[in-house]
């Protein structure tokens, strides 16, 4: 099925990678990218429903089924051809992007497409509480589909570090943590390890996606804090106090992927240890712990912190997030 993913407009390359990775996980194999027309992304994802994909994403707004694409001039006709099934009511919503040509009146387009659907089906328009919604995105081209699901963006803000019972000043935002978990492409129900669990942000997102989250940390306070934060949300995880080098030694679990935001130089987090040495320990542990093809998804302030000797790792992707003028984070995906 072709899916129209309406990306959130922030970090578009990362958002595209996340959507493709999450759809690939749901389909059980790599999906085909049909169109990249930021912030529209059209995927050929057999047997993946828009509702299911929307529930997994962090960097998107909506996902629609029956995605079709054409010139801007026929946007109304595209939307008018969408199959609304046996719905008793519908509405059309148009999203215009900065890259679409000037002069497209979204309200007129909604009315025109609505008229086409109504004349074809006899179904009434309901702008307030429709049974279904036909979505239209105008970028370089027109994209349309039947809304399958929407991303609950407010829920990500509610999980931000400032709202947690236990917090630290530096912590990756939940929407980016969700993207990192999706980039790991772990089969549903698999084990995701964060060896620097901190306040438990990665573990929360992994748990909410149906994975078995496993967190370790050198500092017992972090492990206790992660447990407190997870418990406050009704979530569970495996938690151990351990140095990163010993994260899996003599334990009964093995990770399918490692997803982490290391302390990289924050002295309060590494307890006076050499930050570069801590990272090297992590890379060595990951090489031993991950299965062949397993991914290490790591957030770093500099790509120079990637392993100098890649060893078994193959670099799959790097996506950058500008936090502020003096800090850019790089989300790096390494395959074992």
């Amino acid at each position: 099925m072709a899916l129209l993913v309406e990306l959130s407009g922030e970090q578009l390359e990362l958002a595209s990678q996340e959507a493709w990775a999450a759809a690939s996980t749901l389909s059980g194999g790599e999906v085909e990218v049909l169109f990249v027309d930021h912030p529209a992304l059209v995927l050929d994802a057999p047997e993946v429903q828009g509702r299911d994909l929307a529930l997994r994403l962090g960097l998107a707004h909506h996902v629609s089924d029956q995605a079709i694409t054409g010139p801007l001039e026929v946007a109304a006709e595209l939307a008018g051809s969408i199959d609304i099934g046996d719905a008793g009511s519908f509405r059309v919503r148009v999203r215009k992007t900065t890259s679409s040509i000037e002069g497209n009146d979204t309200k007129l387009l909604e009315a025109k497409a609505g008229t086409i659907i109504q004349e074809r089906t006899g179904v009434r328009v309901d702008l307030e509480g429709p049974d279904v919604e036909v979505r239209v995105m105008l970028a370089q081209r027109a994209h349309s589909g039947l809304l399958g699901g929407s991303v609950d963006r407010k829920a990500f803000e509610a999980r931000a570090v400032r709202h947690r019972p236990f917090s630290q000043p530096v912590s990756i935002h939940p929407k980016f943590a969700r993207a990192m978990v999706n980039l790991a492409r772990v089969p549903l129900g698999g084990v995701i390890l964060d060896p620097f669990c901190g306040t438990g942000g990665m573990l929360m997102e992994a748990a909410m996606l149906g994975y078995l989250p496993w967190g370790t940390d050198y500092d017992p306070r972090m492990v206790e804090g992660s447990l407190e934060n997870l418990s406050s949300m009704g979530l569970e995880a495996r938690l151990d106090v351990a140095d990163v080098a010993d994260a899996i030694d003599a334990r009964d679990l093995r990770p399918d992927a490692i997803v982490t935001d290391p302390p990289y130089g924050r002295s309060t987090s590494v307890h006076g240890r050499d930050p570069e040495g801590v990272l090297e320990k992590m890379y060595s542990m990951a090489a031993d712990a991950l299965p062949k093809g397993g991914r290490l998804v790591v957030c770093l302030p500099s790509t120079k912190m990637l392993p100098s000797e890649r060893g078994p790792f193959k670099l799959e992707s790097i996506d950058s997030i500008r936090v502020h003028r003096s800090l850019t984070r790089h989300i790096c995906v390494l395959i074992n």
Side-chain angles (χ1 to χ4, degrees):
M1 177 181 291
L3 301 175
L4 169 61
V5 184
E6 299 181 41
L7 305 175
S8 61
E10 57 192 342
Q11 312 299 335
L12 287 170
E13 292 301 326
L14 175 60
S16 296
Q17 287 285 340
E18 182 204 15
W20 173 81
S24 298
T25 297
L26 289 172
S27 70
E30 292 189 3
V31 305
E32 181 182 357
V33 177
L34 299 178
F35 291 97
V36 179
D37 191 8
H38 289 326
L41 178 70
V42 182
L43 303 172
D44 181 14
E47 301 183 11
V48 177
Q49 301 295 315
R51 174 181 59 86
D52 296 331
L53 183 56
L55 287 172
R56 298 187 70 82
L57 297 180
L59 300 176
H61 287 300
H62 308 286
V63 183
S64 297
D65 300 302
Q66 303 181 40
I68 50 177
T69 294
L72 289 167
E73 293 76 16
V74 296
E77 289 74 13
L78 286 175
S81 69
I82 296 295
D83 181 6
I84 63 171
D86 57 358
S89 63
F90 76 95
R91 71 181 176 194
V92 180
R93 284 290 180 263
V94 177
R95 178 182 173 189
K96 181 180 177 181
T97 70
T98 55
S99 59
S100 57
I101 62 174
E102 295 181 1
N104 285 305
D105 187 312
T106 58
K107 295 302 179 184
L108 286 177
L109 181 52
E110 288 173 356
K112 183 177 180 181
T115 298
I116 295 172
I117 295 173
Q118 194 169 37
E119 290 179 348
R120 176 172 59 83
T121 65
V123 176
R124 67 185 178 89
V125 175
D126 183 350
L127 298 180
E128 299 302 322
D131 293 335
V132 297
E133 178 174 306
V134 175
R135 301 285 303 175
V136 183
M137 284 199 72
L138 305 178
Q140 294 296 327
R141 296 169 67 83
H143 311 273
S144 187
L146 187 69
L147 180 64
S150 299
V151 178
D152 189 352
R153 303 273 293 178
K154 291 183 179 179
F156 286 103
E157 293 301 325
R159 294 197 297 278
V161 67
R162 65 184 180 277
H163 300 306
R164 299 173 193 169
F166 175 78
S167 65
Q168 292 289 302
V170 180
S171 182
I172 194 166
H173 193 282
K175 62 189 176 185
F176 293 121
R178 173 65 64 91
M180 290 177 66
V181 172
N182 277 319
L183 289 174
R185 293 184 58 184
V186 174
L188 302 180
V191 178
I192 292 181
L193 169 65
D194 182 357
F196 304 99
C197 65
T199 62
M202 297 294 182
L203 306 180
M204 291 178 193
E205 302 308 318
M208 295 180 74
L209 289 178
Y211 294 117
L212 173 58
W214 179 16
T216 68
D217 204 285
Y218 183 83
D219 187 345
R221 293 179 305 123
M222 296 298 174
V223 173
E224 293 171 2
S226 288
L227 178 60
E228 182 181 5
N229 287 338
L230 286 157
S231 297
S232 73
M233 298 183 60
L235 302 173
E236 295 182 352
R238 164 77 174 266
L239 289 162
D240 295 303
V241 177
D243 181 74
V244 63
D246 307 317
I248 64 166
D249 286 357
R251 289 176 170 83
D252 57 349
L253 280 181
R254 283 294 184 273
D256 295 296
I258 296 172
V259 183
T260 191
D261 180 18
Y264 44 74
R266 299 195 292 270
S267 60
T268 56
S269 298
V270 296
H271 297 273
R273 296 172 294 165
D274 173 27
E276 293 185 2
V278 171
L279 286 176
E280 288 303 320
K281 285 183 179 181
M282 179 191 69
Y283 294 132
S284 177
M285 179 274 291
D288 292 337
L290 290 173
K292 183 176 177 57
R295 288 172 171 80
L296 166 61
V297 185
V298 58
C299 187
L300 300 170
S302 171
T303 56
K304 293 180 180 179
M305 291 182 170
L306 285 166
S308 54
E309 297 294 333
R310 293 277 159 79
F313 293 114
K314 174 185 176 183
L315 181 63
E316 182 175 50
S317 64
I318 299 177
D319 291 288
S320 300
I321 305 169
R322 186 179 181 187
V323 180
H324 49 71
R325 182 179 299 178
S326 61
L327 176 60
T328 297
R329 286 180 162 184
H330 306 277
I331 295 177
C332 308
V333 182
L334 299 163
I335 303 178
N336 196 28

